[in-house]
């Protein structure tokens, strides 16, 4: 049975969104969501590269216990740059602004997002914000850490804090506009017949992510603005010498930043929920539960911010409440993991590159999430707070989880985006390299943290060295795991096999239109008659 | 009547209208959280320094604040009337109501300007010449006072520019009963600016004033 | 070179924390087994091209979902209650603990013992006795972290925080500043020396400056001119400190507060904000004129007057 009433896609060379009007100006002023997605892809890759170089320098410094390669001041600037760029200029826009932009209208059968001009504005805001941040870095850098804790950031640091905050502020408004666009588009522009419970789960995850983007980012923006104003004029809202409260800054910062960590995982979960059914040829197990758990994560995520502040001097009773909420927020994630596993049952599983990445994701995310539960556990966090255990926890989720699914998604939709196949064997190889390198880099950090190695240290007691050496070795492998795909994906642009409209035999509207899609996505508005992931039933053989 | 065709990404004008309206509401939710940080900071410092805040609030200009509250509430009403007018196709009435709203907004700004001038001469600007030096935390009150009212004023100015454009376009006959989306959006936005003042007014002028 | 896997365990809280960590690890291993073993089995059994029975089953989805929601939830609630209890214990110093003051500043730790001994980046304590640290910061936020004791507490400027421990094993342990505090954050380290009680007494005597903390405070009290108002027959009507510490004080606003360390500190730095009933706000602020270490000394002095007879009342 065919899902939509469409003429069979024509196999001739037709004009698509890449080949029509391709001057520089047409690209820079485009309002086509697909092109904007590609603009984002290029931009975030630049920031990722810069942040990864910072990571490489940090890892090399940490090879020896003495701080011999870099001055402590430079090391501090490096991890700040690494954290800021990775979080705000790479990971937050990664899946939403690149794949989300490209896919949301395609998946719901729309011709574009609701507000294409705002969408372009998002990209410009992002670029301006990024330029400000880069300028701050070039002119000498910032040394506050990505968390900007007052009063260090407001009074004591001598670095370019204000400009960096301005960069994040501007880029933040870009994120808000993206989130707003997605919510409206998903609400109002679904194709006929595409009811909420027929939506691909990727859309559900984008919807939840957008809610957080829209509701949390303004809090960050104002908090950073207050921080900058305080730095310029000595306001005193956060400065204890003037009657202010430095812990208030932490409350405001984490009120944004904890929900923001879910911005950095929900989209990845969405990708996993697309890839697993496709490569098991089977509908996802418990669709409604997976869908609603995304929303539950988004909502509960707003109530747990205090778990970053268990030893900040906050009331211990508030601590117990935040701990409880943090345990609860683990439940919807648990639901997802179990449903993904159950989807494999009686499937027909193929180990194509996207699937390999996603399987790696499930493993790494589970470990990262379980160690999050360690940290949510009050007495355990008192010991583990601000040690490498925390570093390991969030790299497992953000790199092992989100970056891995970003790679999965990039491979999965690559044929759709560029119209060419990537080399499968190399893809599988790099997925394996990434997995191995990742674990070697970050697993030793759990032990380091347990031993009490504090984070943001560029020199450390010699007994910790062995673990740092392992970690740096792992980072070199990991580096190869990132480099390889860059090379072969670029190669495939020219030499890859031409991609058919639906190379994976997947369901979903994006596969019902040519690869790459035409300018307005569909030749005729599709009409949907069936639930998501409606694969033909498998039989006994 | 000349109504513009729906933009290419939309199926029809109705869909476009719904999308724009929902978009405005969401945008205002964002704005509310943006202000929310300042409210939060205000609340926390109110708890930390009840005395200083109580004596600081006595220094603000209750008369100006109250006049402005009345002005904005009235303008909320006139704006609503303007929107209703265009929805019923009476574009002349709409122009009048929107212009009246705009004027009320300008008067608000004038009163606010006079108030600011008075505040400055009373030495209520935090910094070296701050008048209430005995109470360091009163500075925080006034920082928040200037930040919150200033941010509100910026929003109001944006609103006034928006209303001017709307009045002009209505006059040109660009809107009708069938297509009034921009007028409605401006109305929603104006309502939001009102609402923020309804929160600011008690915080900055009333609470702790009378004891 | 020995490769450490577990940190030293040298306080009464350490084994309790370790037990929780162990339980968490066990739970994680079980969860991972539950997730990964079936997953690997499915991946093997249902890989494409391998013959297997793939006919869809009609499973009771709702029951399954509820099961795997509720079981982890129950397990986690147990852990939650347990860990919270230990945390609340960590946050409540026992009565009669040895009190030691710590001042953090970029980038060193200054430690003041009640006996008057002062040390930099080193903390000497006797084994087997509870110790309560009162923490103050001169500038930014620091954090006082002793991995072997499994305790950590941020040191926040503008207020006092505290932590406590009871060492169980003599030895020398790491002391780290674990909250990022600027350039030499990673140099803000030191050691905690746990000694047998006798050795500790000897150490106190040997490194004694000859004056207790309270005596140092008393001389400061005169040097800064506090005594001019607060002592003898001064013209200014200012409160006396005999019997003040630890007692409730009625403020002009009608509020009643306990005269503890934090209150005394606030009185010295922002006297106008909390005027005790019956006095007029005449006291100047000493903000910027005394540092956190000196405030500790003044407080120690005022504390030492707690048991002195209140003037005017029979002894
Ligand atoms: C994508 C980002 C991301 C995500 C998704 C998470 C998810 C979680 N995080 Fe994490 N976290 C960060 C990014 C993230 N975190 C970052 C960046 C920091 C450090 C910030 C800084 O200081 O710089 C941090 C820090 C951090 C802390 C503070 C540590 C400290 O500084 O002391 C805590 C404490 O509670 C915590 C908890 C959690 C929990 C409970 C989850 C949960 O949502 C996890 C839920 C998932 C699972 C539990 C796994 C799957 C479930 C099962 C397989 C079922 C069975 C499970 C059980 C029975 C338990 N995180
Ligand atoms: C999206 C988020 C993201 C991503 C993808 C990464 C990726 C990586 N991070 Fe990042 N990290 C953060 C977010 C992220 N990080 C944040 C938020 C912080 C906290 C900052 C703060 O405290 O303020 C942090 C902090 C942080 C620290 C702690 C610093 C400290 O506290 O002192 C370390 C230490 O090893 C680290 C390492 C790495 C490594 C090795 C990678 C790797 O995945 C990168 C792999 C890439 C390369 C290694 C480069 C390319 C390869 C080569 C050029 C080959 C040669 C390489 C070698 C010889 C090593 N990160
Ligand atoms: Cu002090 Cu870090
Ligand atoms: Cu968090």
């Amino acid at each position: 049975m065919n899902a939509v009433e469409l003429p069979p896609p024509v196999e001739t060379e037709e004009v698509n969104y890449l080949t029509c009007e391709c001057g520089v100006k047409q690209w820079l002023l485009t309002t086509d969501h697909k092109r904007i997605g590609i603009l984002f892809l290029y931009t975030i890759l630049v920031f990722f590269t810069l942040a990864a170089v910072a990571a490489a320098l940090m890892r090399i410094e940490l090879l020896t216990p003495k701080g011999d390669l870099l001055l402590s001041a430079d090391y501090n600037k490096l991890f700040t740059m690494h954290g800021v760029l990775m979080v705000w200029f790479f990971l937050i826009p990664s899946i939403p602004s690149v794949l989300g932009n490209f896919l949301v209208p395609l998946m719901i059968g729309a011709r574009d997002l609701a507000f294409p001009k705002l969408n372009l504005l998002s990209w410009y805001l992002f670029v301006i914000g990024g330029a400000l941040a880069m300028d701050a870095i070039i002119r000498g850098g910032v040394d506050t850490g990505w968390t900007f804790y007052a009063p260090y950031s407001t009074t004591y640091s001598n670095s370019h804090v204000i400009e960096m905050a301005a960069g994040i502020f501007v880029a933040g408004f870009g994120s808000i506009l993206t989130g707003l666009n997605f919510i409206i588009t998903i609400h109002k522009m679904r194709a006929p017949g595409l009811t909420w419970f027929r939506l691909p789960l990727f859309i559900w995850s984008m919807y939840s992510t957008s809610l957080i983007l829209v509701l949390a980012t303004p809090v960050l923006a104002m908090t950073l603005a207050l921080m900058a104003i305080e730095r310029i004029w000595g306001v005193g809202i956060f400065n204890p010498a003037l009657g202010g409260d430095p812990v208030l800054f932490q409350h405001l910062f984490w009120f944004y930043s904890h929900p923001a960590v879910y911005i950095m995982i929900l989209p990845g979960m969405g990708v996993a929920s697309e890839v697993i059914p496709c490569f098991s040829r089977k509908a996802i197990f418990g669709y409604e539960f997976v869908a609603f758990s995304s929303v539950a994560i988004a909502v509960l995520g707003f109530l747990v911010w205090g778990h970053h502040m268990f030893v900040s001097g906050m009331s211990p009773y508030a601590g117990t409440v935040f701990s409880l909420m943090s345990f609860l927020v683990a439940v919807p994630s648990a639901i997802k993991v179990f449903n993904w596993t159950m989807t494999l049952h009686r499937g027909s599983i193929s180990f194509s590159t996207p699937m390999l990445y996603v399987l790696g994701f499930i493993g790494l995310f589970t470990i990262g999430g379980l160690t999050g539960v360690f940290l949510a556990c009050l007495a355990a966090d008192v010991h583990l707070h601000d040690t490498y255990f925390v570093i390991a926890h969030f790299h497992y989720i953000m790199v092992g989880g989100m970056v891995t699914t970003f790679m999965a998604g990039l491979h999965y939709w690559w044929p759709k985006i560029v119209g060419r196949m990537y080399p499968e064997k190399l893809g599988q190889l790099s997925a394996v390299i990434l997995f191995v390198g990742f674990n070697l880099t970050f697993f030793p950090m759990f032990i380091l943290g347990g031993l009490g190695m504090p984070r943001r240290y560029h020199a450390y007691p010699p007994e910790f060295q062995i673990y740092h050496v392992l970690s740096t070795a792992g980072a070199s492998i990991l580096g190869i795991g990132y480099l390889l795909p860059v090379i072969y994906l670029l190669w495939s642009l020219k030499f890859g096999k031409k991609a058919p409209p639906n190379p994976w035999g997947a369901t979903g509207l994006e596969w019902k239109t040519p690869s790459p899609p035409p300018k307005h996505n569909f030749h005729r508005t599709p009409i949907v008659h069936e639930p998501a992931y409606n694969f033909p039933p498998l039989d006994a053989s | 009547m000349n109504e513009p065709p729906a933009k290419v990404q939309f199926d029809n004008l109705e869909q476009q209208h719904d999308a724009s309206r929902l978009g405005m509401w969401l945008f205002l939710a964002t704005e509310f959280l943006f202000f929310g940080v300042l409210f939060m900071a205000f609340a926390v410092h109110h708890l930390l320094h009840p005395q200083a805040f109580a004596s600081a609030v006595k220094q603000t200009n209750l008369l100006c604040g109250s006049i402005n509250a009345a002005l904005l509430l009235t303008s909320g009403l006139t704006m609503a009337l303007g929107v209703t007018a265009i929805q019923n196709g009476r574009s002349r009435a709409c122009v009048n109501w929107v212009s009246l709203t705009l004027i009320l907004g300008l008067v608000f700004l004038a009163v606010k300007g006079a108030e600011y001038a008075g505040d400055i001469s009373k030495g209520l600007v935090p910094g070296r010449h701050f008048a209430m030096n005995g109470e360091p935390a009163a500075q925080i009150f006034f920082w928040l006072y200037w930040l919150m009212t200033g941010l509100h004023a910026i929003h109001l100015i944006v609103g006034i520019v928006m209303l001017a454009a709307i009045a002009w376009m209505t006059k040109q006959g660009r809107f009708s009963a069938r297509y009034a989306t921009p007028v409605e959006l401006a109305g929603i936005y104006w309502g939001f600016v009102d609402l923020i003042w309804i929160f600011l007014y008690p915080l900055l002028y009333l609470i702790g004033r009378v004891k | 070179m020995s490769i450490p896997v577990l940190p030293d365990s040298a306080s009464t809280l350490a084994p309790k924390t370790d037990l929780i960590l162990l339980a968490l690890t066990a739970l994680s291993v079980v969860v991972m087994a539950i997730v990964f073993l079936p997953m690997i089995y499915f991946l093997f059994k249902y890989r494409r091209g391998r013959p297997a029975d793939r006919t869809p089953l009609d499973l009771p989805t709702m029951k399954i979902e509820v099961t795997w929601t509720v079981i982890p939830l129950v397990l986690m609630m147990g852990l939650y209650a347990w860990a919270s209890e230990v945390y609340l214990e960590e946050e409540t110093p026992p009565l009669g603990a040895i009190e030691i003051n710590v001042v953090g500043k970029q980038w060193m730790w200054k430690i003041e013992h009640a006996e008057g001994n002062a040390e930099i980046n080193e903390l000497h304590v006797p084994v087997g006795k509870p110790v309560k640290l009162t923490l103050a910061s001169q500038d930014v936020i620091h954090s006082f972290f002793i991995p072997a004791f499994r305790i950590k507490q941020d040191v926040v400027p503008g207020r006092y925080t505290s932590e406590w421990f009871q060492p169980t094993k003599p030895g020398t342990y790491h002391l780290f500043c674990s909250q990022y505090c600027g350039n030499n954050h990673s140099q803000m380290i030191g050691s905690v020396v746990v000694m047998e009680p006798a050795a500790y007494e000897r150490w106190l005597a040997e490194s004694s400056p000859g004056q207790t903390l309270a005596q140092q405070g008393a001389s400061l009290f005169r040097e800064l001119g506090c005594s001019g108002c607060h002592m003898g027959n001064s013209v200014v009507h200012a409160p006396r400190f005999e019997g003040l510490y630890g007692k409730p004080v009625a403020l002009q606003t009608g509020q009643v507060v306990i005269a503890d360390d934090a209150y005394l500190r606030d009185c010295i730095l922002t006297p106008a904000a909390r005027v005790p009933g019956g006095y007029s706000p005449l006291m100047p602020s000493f903000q910027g004129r005394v540092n956190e270490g000196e405030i500790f000394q003044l407080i120690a002095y005022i504390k030492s007057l707690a048991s002195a007879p209140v003037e005017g009342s029979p002894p």
Side-chain angles (χ1 to χ4, degrees):
Chain A
M1 191 184 88
N2 206 357
V4 286
E5 297 161 352
L6 273 183
V10 219
E11 281 296 335
T12 53
E13 274 296 324
E14 61 172 327
V15 182
N16 59 45
Y17 81 101
L18 289 170
T19 49
C20 68
E21 305 158 344
C22 47
V24 175
K25 195 173 145 218
Q26 275 84 356
W27 271 89
L28 290 183
L29 294 180
T30 181
T31 53
D32 182 341
H33 66 101
K34 300 183 284 307
R35 286 190 168 189
I36 294 173
I38 289 185
L39 290 176
F40 266 111
L41 178 61
Y42 282 123
T43 338
I44 66 167
L45 285 183
V46 172
F47 290 122
F48 177 76
T49 311
L50 292 168
V53 169
L57 285 172
M58 276 154 43
R59 281 313 332 159
I60 296 170
E61 162 67 73
L62 291 172
L63 267 175
T64 57
K66 287 212 201 64
D68 30 23
L69 176 69
L70 302 161
L71 296 173
S72 60
D74 295 331
Y75 181 83
N76 296 345
K77 288 172 179 168
L78 279 176
F79 70 66
T80 306
M81 162 180 166
H82 171 74
V84 167
L85 292 185
M86 281 294 192
V87 168
W88 283 296
F89 295 97
F90 168 65
L91 204 57
I92 287 183
S94 62
I95 295 184
S97 297
V98 177
L99 297 176
N101 238 326
F102 194 91
L103 292 166
V104 166
L106 278 169
M107 283 185 162
I108 65 172
R111 284 179 292 277
D112 205 324
L113 288 173
F115 311 113
K117 286 197 191 119
L118 281 188
N119 196 17
L120 182 63
L121 181 61
S122 303
W123 182 70
Y124 276 102
L125 288 173
F126 181 69
V127 170
I128 294 169
L132 282 170
M134 281 319 298
D135 190 55
I137 290 167
I138 292 166
R139 292 199 304 137
V142 178
D143 70 345
T144 59
W146 81 286
T147 47
F148 293 102
Y149 273 16
Y152 184 69
S153 62
T154 50
T155 316
Y156 290 85
S157 169
N158 292 317
S159 53
H160 299 270
V161 180
I162 296 174
E163 197 178 9
M164 185 63 104
I168 298 167
F169 185 94
V170 174
F173 276 89
S175 299
I176 293 177
L177 294 183
T178 302
L180 198 132
N181 231 329
F182 284 178
I183 294 183
I184 309 294
T185 309
I186 295 169
H187 260 283
K188 296 290 173 195
M189 301 175 71
R190 280 168 284 129
L194 192 54
T195 56
W196 282 94
F197 290 103
R198 285 180 179 172
L199 284 172
L201 288 165
F202 183 74
I203 297 290
W204 276 92
S205 79
M206 277 299 128
Y207 186 83
S208 316
T209 308
S210 304
L211 276 182
I212 307 177
L213 281 171
V214 168
L215 296 181
T217 317
V219 175
L220 174 76
M222 189 42 105
T223 305
L224 291 181
L226 280 181
M227 189 262 293
I229 293 173
E230 174 137 351
R231 199 177 155 80
I232 303 174
W233 288 304
V235 174
I237 291 176
F238 305 128
N239 184 354
L242 299 172
D245 182 0
V247 179
L248 174 63
F249 178 86
Q250 299 177 24
H251 278 292
L252 293 172
F253 182 84
W254 292 114
F255 181 83
Y256 159 80
S257 281
H258 185 84
V261 307
Y262 294 117
I263 300 176
M264 296 184 263
I265 196 63
L266 281 169
M269 294 169 156
V271 170
S273 307
E274 292 299 308
V275 169
I276 293 171
C278 172
F279 293 98
S280 320
R281 315 227 59 75
K282 189 167 164 287
I284 191 129
F285 189 83
Y287 175 97
E288 289 87 354
F289 292 87
V290 181
F292 276 119
S293 59
S294 291
V295 182
I297 289 176
V299 173
L300 283 174
F302 275 98
L303 304 175
V304 305
W305 76 87
H307 69 203
H308 296 270
M309 302 166 57
F310 288 150
V311 301
S312 69
M314 177 178 75
S315 142
Y317 299 99
T320 56
V321 175
F322 284 121
S323 169
L324 179 64
M325 296 313 294
S326 309
F327 276 95
L328 293 185
V329 80
V331 171
S333 302
I335 294 180
K336 285 194 193 263
V337 171
F338 291 133
N339 279 298
W340 291 325
T341 309
M342 201 55 194
T343 306
L344 301 174
H345 180 63
R346 297 200 162 198
S348 163
I349 299 159
S350 101
F351 295 94
S352 306
T353 310
M355 187 65 167
L356 280 185
Y357 275 118
V358 165
L359 292 173
F361 154 81
I362 299 183
L364 301 179
F365 169 72
T366 304
I367 297 177
L370 287 169
T371 52
V373 174
F374 279 56
L375 296 172
C377 222
L378 283 162
D381 184 64
V382 171
H383 177 58
L384 297 173
H385 174 71
D386 271 344
T387 65
Y388 265 70
F389 193 93
V390 178
I391 303 285
H393 154 66
F394 69 73
H395 282 88
Y396 259 81
I397 298 193
M398 303 210 292
V399 184
M402 184 79 160
V403 177
T404 306
T405 43
F406 179 59
M407 297 297 271
L410 207 57
H411 284 82
Y412 183 56
W413 284 291
W414 191 252
K416 184 56 60 184
I417 296 174
V418 305
R420 304 247 178 195
M421 303 300 291
Y422 60 85
E424 184 62 39
K425 280 273 162 329
L426 275 174
Q428 288 166 321
L429 179 67
S430 63
V432 173
I433 294 179
L434 200 75
F435 186 80
V436 173
F438 178 85
N439 281 299
L440 189 54
T441 312
F442 293 105
F443 197 82
M445 292 188 187
F446 284 126
I447 303 172
L448 271 176
L451 290 174
M453 161 94 199
R455 60 192 283 203
R456 297 169 172 175
Y457 266 34
H458 93 306
Y460 53 86
E463 70 257 33
F464 296 148
Q465 183 174 14
I466 175 76
Y467 297 107
H468 277 299
V469 171
L470 286 177
S471 175
T472 305
S476 328
I477 302 178
L478 188 56
I480 300 173
Y482 287 128
L483 225 53
L484 210 56
V486 174
I487 297 171
Y488 67 72
L489 287 179
L490 283 176
W491 174 90
S492 77
L493 286 181
K494 207 158 168 74
F495 306 107
K497 260 200 345 258
K498 281 245 153 58
N502 188 359
W504 312 120
T507 63
L509 294 178
E510 80 268 31
W511 303 109
K512 304 278 157 42
T513 186
S515 307
K519 184 162 185 225
H520 288 300
N521 297 350
F522 299 95
H523 295 298
R524 206 187 324 139
T525 304
I527 298 170
V528 183
H529 296 294
E530 57 173 13
Y533 316 115
N534 198 9
F535 289 97
L538 296 162
D539 50 29
S541 61
Chain B
M1 258 184 288
N2 48 347
E3 72 193 37
K7 303 223 178 70
V8 59
Q9 70 272 24
F10 295 109
D11 293 336
N12 51 42
L13 263 184
E14 194 194 330
Q15 192 189 28
Q16 179 174 337
H17 173 82
D18 283 357
S20 316
R21 223 181 33 189
L22 190 61
M24 185 49 111
W25 281 113
L26 258 185
F27 173 70
L28 293 183
T30 299
E31 287 270 41
F32 200 78
L33 280 145
F34 196 59
F35 273 95
V37 173
L38 293 174
F39 287 128
M40 204 57 215
F42 191 94
V44 167
H45 282 289
H46 204 294
L47 282 176
L48 286 177
H49 316 286
Q51 270 187 336
F53 270 48
S55 41
V57 86
K58 296 199 179 87
Q59 303 299 317
T60 54
N61 191 328
L62 182 61
L63 182 66
C64 289
S66 310
I67 295 179
N68 271 344
L71 284 172
L72 270 198
L73 281 178
T74 321
S75 79
L77 178 69
T78 55
M79 188 65 209
L81 289 171
V83 174
T84 324
I86 192 73
Q87 280 165 344
N88 295 330
R90 296 181 288 121
S91 61
R92 276 280 296 287
C94 174
V95 176
N96 291 341
W97 284 123
V98 171
S99 311
L100 184 57
T101 313
L102 190 160
I103 290 166
L104 287 171
L106 286 174
V107 178
F108 176 99
L109 284 181
V111 174
K112 191 80 221 163
E115 185 186 346
Y116 276 166
D119 293 341
I120 292 170
S121 67
K122 271 165 79 183
L124 296 180
V125 184
R128 201 170 307 145
H129 305 292
F130 188 61
M132 306 175 63
N133 266 329
E135 303 248 32
Q139 293 230 25
I140 297 184
F141 176 93
F142 275 100
W143 270 114
L144 289 169
Y145 166 82
W146 287 94
L147 282 173
M148 287 158 121
T149 54
L151 195 64
H152 176 260
I154 293 175
H155 279 80
L156 199 78
I157 293 171
V158 171
I160 289 176
V161 173
M162 212 146 94
L163 291 190
I166 292 286
W168 171 253
M169 284 158 83
T170 316
K171 201 158 180 189
Q172 302 281 298
R174 299 267 277 278
F175 306 124
S176 64
R178 293 214 34 217
Y179 176 66
T181 312
V183 187
E184 282 173 37
L185 295 188
I188 300 176
Y189 178 84
W190 193 263
F192 168 79
V193 176
D194 266 13
L195 186 72
I196 291 293
W197 189 258
I198 309 253
F199 279 95
L200 291 184
Y201 175 60
L203 288 187
L204 300 179
Y205 297 91
L206 298 181
I207 294 179
R209 186 157 207 129
V210 273
K211 229 202 181 144
Chain C
M1 193 172 80
S2 72
I3 299 175
V5 228
L6 286 172
D8 288 325
S9 163
S11 78
T12 51
L13 285 168
K16 294 185 188 176
T17 308
D18 288 353
L19 204 57
I20 293 177
L21 287 171
L22 190 70
L24 281 163
T25 314
L27 176 80
S28 302
V29 171
V30 171
V31 169
M32 281 158 63
I34 295 175
V35 175
F36 295 152
L37 293 182
M39 191 168 122
I40 292 168
Y41 175 68
F42 294 159
L43 289 177
F44 173 78
K45 180 153 183 216
Y46 300 113
R47 69 178 191 276
R48 196 164 296 168
R50 184 179 188 277
D53 183 4
R54 295 191 169 85
T55 39
L57 289 179
D58 201 13
L59 293 169
T61 312
M62 192 66 192
K63 271 193 201 136
I64 298 180
E65 298 282 352
V66 170
T67 316
W68 66 40
T69 308
V70 171
I71 291 180
L73 192 64
V74 172
L75 287 176
M76 288 194 298
M77 285 306 101
L79 261 171
Y80 162 71
W82 175 15
S84 300
E85 201 187 317
V86 176
Y87 174 70
L88 291 178
E89 180 185 339
E90 276 172 5
E91 293 289 317
T92 337
L95 290 175
I98 301 174
E99 300 208 6
I100 298 178
N101 300 321
V102 178
V103 179
K105 62 178 170 202
Q106 286 175 331
W107 289 277
M108 56 181 262
W109 297 106
K110 182 164 186 248
I111 284 134
E112 292 177 350
H113 294 256
E115 292 79 3
N117 305 49
E119 25 181 357
I120 303 285
N121 292 342
E122 270 200 7
L123 170 60
H124 286 78
V125 286
V127 71
K129 296 223 180 75
V131 176
K132 179 191 169 202
L133 305 177
T134 302
L135 307 158
S137 164
Q138 194 66 53
D139 36 51
V140 300
I141 305 179
H142 304 275
S143 196
F144 200 84
F145 177 30
I146 308 169
F149 297 169
R150 310 288 185 275
I151 57 162
K152 175 184 292 126
Q153 173 63 52
D154 279 7
V155 185
V156 185
R159 69 174 67 163
Y160 287 146
T161 53
S162 67
E163 68 184 330
W164 75 274
F165 54 85
Q166 180 169 339
T168 52
K169 213 169 70 183
T172 304
Y173 307 104
H174 284 302
L175 158 63
F176 295 126
C177 171
S178 61
Q179 180 63 269
Y180 177 67
C181 54
N183 222 342
N184 289 331
H185 163 61
S186 55
Q187 310 304 315
M188 198 165 158
I189 55 178
S191 40
V192 178
V193 184
V194 178
M195 311 170 100
E196 294 295 348
Y200 177 67
E201 292 304 332
R202 223 172 313 127
W203 174 83
L204 274 181
E206 274 165 18
S207 62
S208 168
Q211 271 192 320
T212 66
L213 199 61
Q215 286 163 346
Q216 294 167 8
S219 19
L220 253 183
F221 200 71
R222 275 185 300 277
E223 278 163 41
L224 289 165
C226 320
S227 52
C229 301
H230 285 287
M231 245 185 193
N233 32 17
S234 101
V235 276
V236 183
H237 175 54
R240 296 306 174 99
F241 299 141
E242 287 82 6
L244 169 67
Y245 185 80
K247 298 275 153 47
V249 180
L251 298 184
Q252 247 176 18
T253 51
Q255 228 180 330
V256 177
V257 294
I258 300 291
D260 56 5
D261 295 15
Y263 170 77
L264 297 179
R265 179 180 182 282
D266 288 341
C267 281
I268 297 170
L269 294 178
T270 50
R274 43 191 73 59
V275 181
Y279 295 92
S280 29
L282 296 172
M283 174 163 162
S285 160
F286 281 82
Q287 186 121 40
R289 292 180 52 195
V290 286
N291 64 32
E292 294 290 346
E294 291 166 339
I295 298 176
F296 273 135
Q297 295 173 356
L298 288 170
I299 292 177
Y301 170 63
I302 297 176
K303 253 188 213 177
S304 71
L305 297 176
S307 44
V310 181
E311 225 168 282
S313 62

